[in-house]
Amino acid sequence: MLTAPDPAAGAIAPPSLTPPNLMGLPSEILQLEGVALVSWWIERMTVSQVPLREKLPFFWHGLLTSSLQKVGWPSLMLNQNQLFRNLGWGNFEDLLQAVTIDPAMLIWLDGLNSHKSSPNENYGREVMELFSLGRGNYSEDDVKAAARSFTGYRIDTSNPMAPTIVFDPNRWDSGAKTFLGQTGNWDTQDVIRIITEHPACPPYVASRVWSFFAWPIGPDHPIAVELGASFAADLDITGLLRETFLHPQFDSPDARQGLVESPVEWLVRSLRMLQLPGNAITASSLINLQQVPFMPPHVAGWAPNGYWINTASELERLKLAQTAAFLGNTWSVVSTGPADRPAAAAALLGVDAWSPRTEAALANASNDPMSVVALALGSPEYLLG
């Protein structure tokens, strides 16, 4: 079942994090709590017995993006992560409604600075361009109308040690607005409803799901159109996932070798393959790989696929691969004769076959089993695995 329980990951308790307050968070504490939060998620991913339960929140985190670098409070990022876990399997409108007024998102895209006298357009633009519709399916007038509708949220500071986010009708623009062809006194909930009812929404979301799990496609790709047509009926995310995974093309060579693993996916997979705990390699190592959970670089999230193939990232992967090979369970390679070590490494890491180039590189290193495993972990065949 797609939503089967995952007791192993559930046993990894989240770190104790400071609740938001108006006194601020010293940079030293912020750094420590941020590292603890990242480590927590890496450990969950590593021990998970139902990997989709961790991979789907990671997908939403990269699509409905917020970043600790601006949000400032690890506790708010943890709350958003739990939101993805709780609602990320259900109705897409419900998920988008909740994310829109999530404190981390309101901080990230300046929703708390939006007043009827000066509506902020950041969220109004990104919720359509990046989160739900894609470019070309809205106008600048739609952005302005959405910004007006999203006004009204502020921080209630009556308790400085426990501030809350509230909706203040006096800050909300209650006037009539025309948004995506519909006119009314729209508020936040109305705008999200109209967005998710737009015909561009289902194929866009379907294309993002397929691009994350199979290979990159756009909303106009036949597969996105096909999956979107079913998704449009109820916006059920679990149903979309099921149709994605059961699609005939999902088991094709294009799908099996269509994606370069992101650094987080590569690291977690490597730890699992070598039977290492999630804390075997420090979370800060991901900084050099340019992908740290809870800290995407901008509102578009992390660049996909081929972005991760470059000289700098290959060098950093090799360094971590050497550490993982040294610490991990590589006995099946160590105990094999040099000539058979490339094949043993393939079996250990679940690689069907090596290319002639990789085979030659592994053969050249075959007298050193740790080097064989490290090179295999950094090989194109493993990255596309």
Side-chain angles (χ1 to χ4, degrees), residues 24 44 243:
R44 283 188 63 106
E243 292 209 11

Side-chain angles (χ1 to χ4, degrees), residues 17 36 77 129 141 150 161 184 231 250 261 286 292 296 327 344:
L17 303 174
M77 296 302 298
E129 179 175 328
D141 287 340
F150 291 147
M161 298 307 296
F231 185 51
F250 191 75
E261 284 189 320
L286 288 166
V292 182
L327 296 173

Side-chain angles (χ1 to χ4, degrees), residues 176-200:
K177 314 160 188 85
T178 299
F179 177 70
L180 293 176
Q182 300 186 43
T183 301
N185 297 334
W186 307 132
D187 61 14
T188 296
Q189 290 71 37
D190 293 322
V191 166
I192 298 303
R193 173 183 54 79
I194 293 170
I195 286 174
T196 56
E197 290 174 351
H198 193 282

Side-chain angles (χ1 to χ4, degrees), residues 29-372:
I29 302 298
L30 169 62
Q31 183 175 7
L32 289 173
E33 291 193 0
V35 169
L37 184 61
V38 173
S39 299
W40 165 78
W41 201 0
I42 295 297
E43 289 192 52
R44 283 188 63 106
M45 292 178 182
T46 303
V47 305
S48 175
Q49 297 170 334
V50 188
L52 186 60
R53 278 204 167 272
E54 300 305 314
K55 195 161 186 175
L56 187 63
F58 192 60
F59 163 73
W60 291 124
H61 177 42
L63 176 61
L64 310 176
T65 306
S66 300
S67 176
L68 179 58
Q69 291 170 307
K70 181 175 178 180
V71 173
W73 292 91
S75 56
L76 293 183
M77 296 302 298
L78 174 61
N79 291 342
Q80 187 181 79
N81 184 273
Q82 300 293 359
L83 186 157
F84 292 147
R85 294 175 184 279
N86 294 333
L87 299 182
W89 304 86
N91 179 274
F92 180 69
E93 182 189 342
D94 292 345
L95 174 62
L96 197 59
Q97 293 279 11
V99 167
T100 298
I101 59 174
D102 174 67
M105 184 64 74
L106 286 169
I107 295 171
W108 172 240
L109 287 178
D110 304 305
L112 297 178
N113 299 324
S114 192
H115 188 280
K116 64 182 179 181
S117 64
S118 181
N120 187 290
E121 297 181 3
N122 286 352
Y123 189 75
R125 184 180 308 280
E126 308 304 354
V127 71
M128 290 186 284
E129 179 175 328
L130 297 175
F131 297 175
S132 61
L133 301 179
R135 293 181 179 179
N137 292 299
Y138 62 91
S139 68
E140 287 300 307
D141 287 340
D142 293 321
V143 172
K144 296 180 186 303
R148 292 174 58 203
S149 301
F150 291 147
T151 54
Y153 296 93
R154 66 172 176 84
I155 298 177
D156 182 352
T157 61
S158 56
N159 183 350
M161 298 307 296
T164 58
I165 291 175
V166 298
F167 178 77
D168 183 346
N170 294 322
R171 292 170 59 95
W172 173 56
D173 184 335
S174 61
K177 314 160 188 85
T178 299
F179 177 70
L180 293 176
Q182 300 186 43
T183 301
N185 297 334
W186 307 132
D187 61 14
T188 296
Q189 290 71 37
D190 293 322
V191 166
I192 298 303
R193 173 183 54 79
I194 293 170
I195 286 174
T196 56
E197 290 174 351
H198 193 282
C201 180
Y204 178 81
V205 176
S207 73
R208 295 300 298 264
V209 169
W210 186 271
S211 296
F212 183 79
F213 288 101
W215 74 81
I217 63 174
D220 57 348
H221 191 283
I223 292 177
V225 173
E226 177 188 350
L227 294 174
S230 299
F231 185 51
D234 54 14
L235 297 182
D236 180 61
I237 297 164
T238 296
L240 173 60
L241 292 170
R242 183 177 294 109
E243 292 209 11
T244 296
F245 300 149
L246 294 177
H247 193 280
Q249 290 299 309
F250 191 75
D251 195 36
S252 67
D254 285 340
R256 289 196 299 272
Q257 298 183 339
L259 292 176
V260 176
E261 284 189 320
S262 72
V264 167
E265 293 169 312
W266 173 83
L267 176 61
V268 169
R269 181 185 175 202
S270 300
L271 293 173
R272 291 168 68 95
M273 288 292 186
L274 300 182
Q275 300 177 30
L276 285 166
N279 60 2
I281 294 177
T282 61
S284 59
S285 298
L286 288 166
I287 295 174
N288 294 330
L289 289 176
Q290 302 172 45
Q291 188 181 41
V292 182
F294 301 106
M295 292 188 230
H298 43 66
V299 70
W302 292 285
N305 215 30
Y307 174 82
W308 302 116
I309 301 179
N310 56 69
T311 303
S313 61
E314 287 177 4
L315 180 60
E316 293 301 329
R317 272 197 304 268
L318 182 58
K319 291 178 181 177
L320 287 180
Q322 290 170 332
T323 301
F326 177 76
L327 296 173
N329 183 355
T330 59
W331 179 245
S332 61
V333 179
V334 173
S335 61
T336 303
D340 296 323
R341 281 172 178 161
L348 174 66
L349 301 180
V351 175
D352 292 335
W354 302 119
S355 68
R357 182 178 179 181
T358 300
E359 184 83 34
L362 297 177
N364 288 338
S366 61
N367 287 328
D368 181 355
M370 296 297 98
S371 292
V372 171

